[in-house]
Amino acid sequence: MRFSTKQYFIKETYKSIRRNGFMSFASISTVAVSLLVLGMFLMIFLNTNNLAQYLENQVQISVYMQDSATDKELASVKDKLTKMPGVVKVTQVNKQQALERFKKRLGDQEQLLNSLGKENPFPNSFEVQVDNPDRIKVLTPQIGQLPKVETAKFGQEVVEHLFQLTKILRLGGIVLVVFLAMATLFIISNTIRLTVFARRKEVIIMKYVGATDWFIRWPFLLEGMTLGFFGAVVAFVLINSIYASLLDRIHATLAFLPLLPTSPLLLYVDLFLLAAGTGIGALGSYISLRKFLRV
Amino acid sequence: MLIMNDVSKVYPGGSVALQDVNVHIEPGEFVFVVGPSGAGKSTFIKMLFREVLPTTGSIFVNGMDILALSPKEIPFMRRQLGIIFQDYRLLPDRTVFENVAFAMQVIEAPHRKIRRQVNNVLDLVGLRHRSNAYPNELSGGEQQRIAIARAIVNDPVFVIADEPTGNLDPETSWDIMEIFKEINSAGTTIVMATHDKDVVDAMGKRVIAIEQGRIVRDEKEGAYGYEI
């Protein structure tokens, strides 16, 4: 393609976007809103997935003892735990320590515990760390069989629930993406159809003087891509600032929640949105041109 | 060379526009296509630039079987033709210069060549001094001259004109015909559908008369032959 041809295409695209001012604005807004929703959804999905994986990799089993267990029995269980294959570390947490720990977690709301009176509901327990998450599933039932052990569990249920949630999110995400993509496609192809209609005389003359289909197509494709691109820019600027401020807030209050840091997550999401916006723009134009070019 | 072999056209709905048309047009000829309205002149002309496809028969433009062309080849076939319409079909938002240059831009001619060639053809039609005017600032005759300039700017082998003087007064029509003569004398083949009896009679060129879809007359130095 000649340089002068490229210049010509860019000039035509610019003219056309300005001429369709309002429709161009409407298209950019629609793309922005669609991609904003899509982007937020993507963030939620990625974070949930990350959380599930994080918990799955927690290599710790909690072993809760019966209250009737004597100190001697506790010591013997600790001894057995330590000797199990793959166990790296066994930490004993007595009733008093468990209570203290819970108090700390409550923070300002410590007074809630007053209603308990002198009763300490927390059992003696052990925290068993293993070298490999795969061992957890084998060890946990074995530990459950030890004398005076009430229950032994790892984060299994939570992890499974989270994975179920990501599955639902993934499914819902696909439905949502398809729906939003179609709405966006519709709006963009409508805008381009208006453009094509406004320039139908020009297109017909182009055909008569022997312009190739691609020569005719390019300015319209560029227009659709430009609209999609700017919509995506609006969407990712919004998403970046929303996510950054959300992270700040969550870190301040729920520091233990393992959220994905902004980098490189936002970069990937931004690139994805740009590609999606531009791609949808091109596709939308292509669709509305297909019929028209058959002169 | 333009060749039509046994060409017939039946429009959907059954109306027969052309029937068994056989025509040979040699390079450098100037051919008028005449006949009453609805006789098939327009269909005849439109087939030459492949806007209308025949129902049966074959058409060759410069040796190319235009019915066998792939969609990709059609633009390149049209580049050998300059097409002129009764209603000029200029782009109202572009200047005279831009309208003519447009035909070269779309075939990706180099910048410098566009400037030189556009000025040449504007000289030929005598409107170089109106280069920066917009079509609505020009008279009908001037607009048609711009359309002619656009049709010939890419040096086509054939110029195909569909009633080019249909909207013009007789005097202006003569000016336009002078331009066509000049283009023809440079070797370009011209095929023109027209209703303009005076012009056809005075020019003494080949005349193909079509009536009810058939060629009823094809004379080397013909006359219009119809009473209006």
Side-chain angles (χ1 to χ4, degrees), chain B residues 82-91 95-101 103 117-131 133-135 137-154 159 161 163-183 192:
Chain B
I83 307 169
I84 295 157
F85 301 93
Q86 182 172 0
D87 55 358
Y88 328 129
R89 302 203 184 169
L90 300 175
L91 296 171
T95 64
V96 162
F97 185 93
E98 287 166 345
N99 262 288
V100 179
Q117 187 72 3
V118 171
N119 283 330
N120 282 346
V121 292
L122 285 178
D123 272 337
L124 179 76
V125 300
L127 282 174
R128 184 163 172 187
H129 61 288
R130 304 300 315 262
S131 282
Y134 285 89
E137 298 166 25
L138 302 175
S139 70
E142 286 172 322
Q143 290 188 47
Q144 191 60 296
R145 283 197 268 165
I146 301 306
I148 295 170
R150 183 181 62 195
I152 61 171
V153 75
N154 287 324
V159 167
E163 308 264 4
T165 57
N167 288 354
L168 304 175
D169 58 66
E171 206 168 316
T172 314
S173 298
W174 279 114
D175 295 342
I176 297 290
M177 292 316 292
E178 285 303 320
I179 295 170
F180 277 115
K181 256 195 210 164
E182 206 170 322
I183 295 168
M192 183 186 301

Side-chain angles (χ1 to χ4, degrees), chain A residues 1-2 4-5 7-8 12 15 19 199 201-202 204-213 215 295, chain B residues 49 51 75-76 78-79 83 85 89-94 102-103 105-111 150 154:
Chain A
M1 200 185 289
R2 277 178 180 281
S4 60
T5 302
Q7 265 183 318
Y8 170 81
E12 290 302 305
K15 265 186 3 196
R19 183 163 34 194
R199 298 172 60 182
K201 267 179 126 177
E202 210 171 311
I204 290 169
I205 293 167
M206 284 168 116
K207 289 231 122 189
Y208 286 147
V209 296
T212 58
D213 282 355
F215 188 93
V295 178
Chain B
F49 54 92
E51 178 161 292
F76 298 93
R78 290 208 173 121
R79 289 178 192 186
I83 307 169
F85 301 93
R89 302 203 184 169
L90 300 175
L91 296 171
D93 58 339
R94 291 174 202 234
F102 182 66
Q105 276 170 340
V106 304
I107 65 164
E108 303 190 57
H111 249 337
R150 183 181 62 195
N154 287 324

